[in-house]
Amino acid sequence: MSVDNVTTVAPASPRRNWAVRGSALAVTAAAGVVLLAGPAAAHVSVQPQGEAAQGGYATVNFKVPNERDDASTVKLEINFPADHPLTSVMPQPVPGWDVQITKTKLDKPLESHGNKITEAVSKVTWTAKDKGVETGQFQQFPLSLGALPEDADQLVFKAIQTYDSKEVVRWIEEPTGGEEPDTPAPVLALTAASGDGHGAAADDKPAKPAASDDTGKASSEQAAESSSDSTARILAVVGILVGLAGVAFGVLSGRRRTTS
């Protein structure tokens, strides 16, 4: 009588199953951290130094991050909203960059301090003299703006970012109240005017540039933004390391089971 050879397959060790599951969860968590950290500072944005009050003046920073690993940002164009023309737009010098202001004739003249304004700034363009904003860096471009509109709660600026590879990214999609679009335009939120009805700068004078006594405040806000970006990057790195550790643990556990 012959007896057929029967191969018995031992059930998978619970320890090995937990190792595999743990490594898979770690990789998934790492990927989630990377996805969440990626958009933290991915597009051109605008933030005021202090507040931007309706009817007043404000100094704002347009923040431009470099999203490419093989190209530098060498040009930035900021287009101003035609429905809310501003009578005063003054750029603060940025080392290594040339700035050009473009004005457009208004369909309807404006009154400012008893003067009739027939044209307003429609675009400000910065062009790099040298390397521009390189990989892993960002640059801020300050402007003094006013008088801000009294009948709006935000201003939308359409931005065009150009790389030295000739790639052009148009940050021009306006917010709709739902999910953020793929290429959102910079939006400046306006706060309510103060009790005198003139906003933050009641004397109707442009806000001081960042190099003035407001430097400390501006620097702290910029540092806060930079800290937020750094935190996102650190979380991404930690997530990747945790994922790799989980994979290594799963492999080693499998090998130990096999040898035993």
Side-chain angles (χ1 to χ4, degrees), residues 52-257:
Q54 296 170 333
Y57 289 78
T59 297
V60 303
N61 288 319
F62 286 91
K63 182 179 179 181
V64 182
N66 191 322
E67 295 183 290
R68 302 295 178 259
D69 295 330
D70 56 353
S72 296
T73 297
V74 293
K75 187 177 181 181
L76 173 68
E77 300 176 35
I78 299 296
N79 293 277
F80 285 67
D83 54 342
H84 293 293
L86 303 178
T87 58
S88 175
V89 176
M90 295 189 297
Q92 178 178 320
V94 178
W97 294 78
D98 288 326
V99 61
Q100 179 181 358
I101 296 178
T102 302
K103 294 184 177 182
T104 301
K105 187 174 182 179
L106 297 174
D107 295 332
K108 182 179 180 181
L110 301 175
E111 291 288 338
S112 177
H113 304 292
N115 298 320
K116 181 178 291 186
I117 307 298
T118 59
E119 61 181 12
V121 173
S122 57
K123 181 172 66 175
V124 177
T125 305
W126 288 271
T127 305
K129 298 178 183 178
D130 192 9
K131 296 180 180 180
V133 187
E134 299 183 83
T135 300
Q137 300 179 354
F138 73 90
Q139 178 66 55
Q140 295 196 103
F141 299 88
L143 287 176
S144 176
L145 307 177
L148 300 175
E150 299 180 357
D151 58 349
D153 56 7
Q154 67 179 24
L155 290 177
V156 179
F157 300 88
K158 295 184 178 182
I160 300 177
Q161 181 179 11
T162 303
Y163 291 89
D164 57 10
S165 61
K166 308 303 181 183
E167 178 187 5
V168 176
V169 182
R170 302 177 183 277
W171 305 101
I172 60 175
E173 295 184 84
E174 299 191 26
T176 58
E179 294 185 0
E180 184 179 71
D182 293 334
T183 55
V187 177
L188 176 65
L190 304 181
T191 60
S194 60
D196 56 19
H198 290 287
D203 55 358
D204 285 346
K205 292 182 180 180
K208 295 180 181 179
S212 68
D213 294 339
D214 296 333
T215 301
K217 187 175 183 180
S219 299
S220 62
E221 292 173 355
Q222 294 170 12
E225 286 189 67
S226 178
S227 176
S228 176
D229 296 342
S230 299
T231 301
R233 294 190 181 96
I234 292 173
L235 287 174
V237 173
V238 171
I240 293 173
L241 293 176
V242 170
L244 292 175
V247 173
F249 179 77
V251 172
L252 291 174
S253 297
R255 288 181 178 177
R256 290 173 182 172
R257 177 62 183 174

